Amino acid sequence: MRLAVVGAAGRMGQALIQAIDAVDGAVLAAAVERSGSDAIGRDAGELAGAGHAGIAVTDDPVAAFSAADGLLDFTAPAVSVDFSALSADAGIAHVIGTTGLNAAQDDAIRANAARTPIVKSGNMSLGVNLLAVLVQQAAKALDAADWDIEVVEMHHKHKVDAPSGTAYLLGEAAARGRGVSLSDNSVRVRDGQTGPRPKGTIGFATLRGGSVVGEHSVLLAGEGEMVELTHRALDRSIFARGAVKAALWARGRDPGLYSMLDVLGIS
Ligand code: NAD
């Protein structure tokens, strides 16, 4: 499968180029960066420390997508929305790992998924998607009247959105387990005289610092006991390998918006 990587010079872009190099059945067909990036014209493989690839980084996505069967996209919300229209025009599978999209941006991507298969997930790793299944089960088993759920995450100091896409993914899993809507039952920020914790809410806490790739814990706190479910990402390659796997899975599928749970076949 010929894959284009957008955001090729980014942290995830480089991990994606390395992962494509390591996965049978996937080849790097194009690498795209924003206009004005220092990476334009450089060899994409060398940029990612994966050796010479013979693919120059370009700022022309339309030409890049015409040479590809799929697109791997870990960039920024507005950029992923624009690329979802271009991938639908080109009729190629689109894997979106970008986080921090608002509701209107999610809707725009869902609309473009009517024309091409899109796999979108706040976390592409097998471990986090398994964790989401476990969180849903735990939230279902433990009565909301007696158990409080908190999602705690830590990431490196360069991350620009909060809480993380993975924290939302885990919060959604907990809300599904309880049969409630996350948006109506979440507490995302606490500061000052907050009053006691509202019963049944799902809380979020965000830590930022250093080079942490991603750590997430879901705490289920009851009277006199606490259950903790934790995932630690030790390396970005777990997200990149998941994204390549998603692209291979999506190739030739019917148009639609899919998640990593669909790709991994776990529920
Ligand atoms: P980054 O800032 O290192 O990389 C983003 C890249 O996108 C930059 O190189 C930037 O120049 C490029 N870009 C911006 N506009 C562009 C355009 N118009 N065309 C082409 N390229 C463009 O960020 P990162 O750490 O690689 O993370 C990127 C996104 O992926 C974030 O939203 C992050 O939260 C998310 N992420 C998701 C997962 C997951 O598993 N879903 C894992 C890690 C990171």
Side-chain angles (χ1 to χ4, degrees), residues 6-13 32-35 37 58 61 73-77 79 83 96-100 121-125 156 159-161 165-166 213 236 239:
V6 293
R11 280 174 288 269
M12 278 305 302
V32 181
E33 258 296 336
R34 62 181 164 73
S35 301
S37 164
T58 172
D73 173 0
F74 289 61
T75 54
V79 178
F83 285 152
I96 302 177
T98 307
T99 60
S121 176
N123 195 300
M124 298 276 170
S125 80
H156 55 88
K159 186 162 176 63
V160 295
D161 57 312
T166 305
V213 175
R236 279 188 182 84
F239 312 126

Side-chain angles (χ1 to χ4, degrees), residues 1-4 27-30 55 60-70 90 92:
M1 183 176 190
R2 298 170 305 161
L3 293 173
V27 290
L28 181 68
I55 302 282
D60 181 350
V62 174
F65 300 169
S66 71
D69 307 306
I92 61 175

Side-chain angles (χ1 to χ4, degrees), residues 2 10 25 42 44 47 53 62 106 160 167 181 216 223 231 238 250 266:
R2 298 170 305 161
R42 289 187 57 192
L47 184 68
V62 174
D106 275 334
V160 295
S181 122
H216 294 85
E223 270 316 310
H231 178 268
I238 59 171
I266 53 175

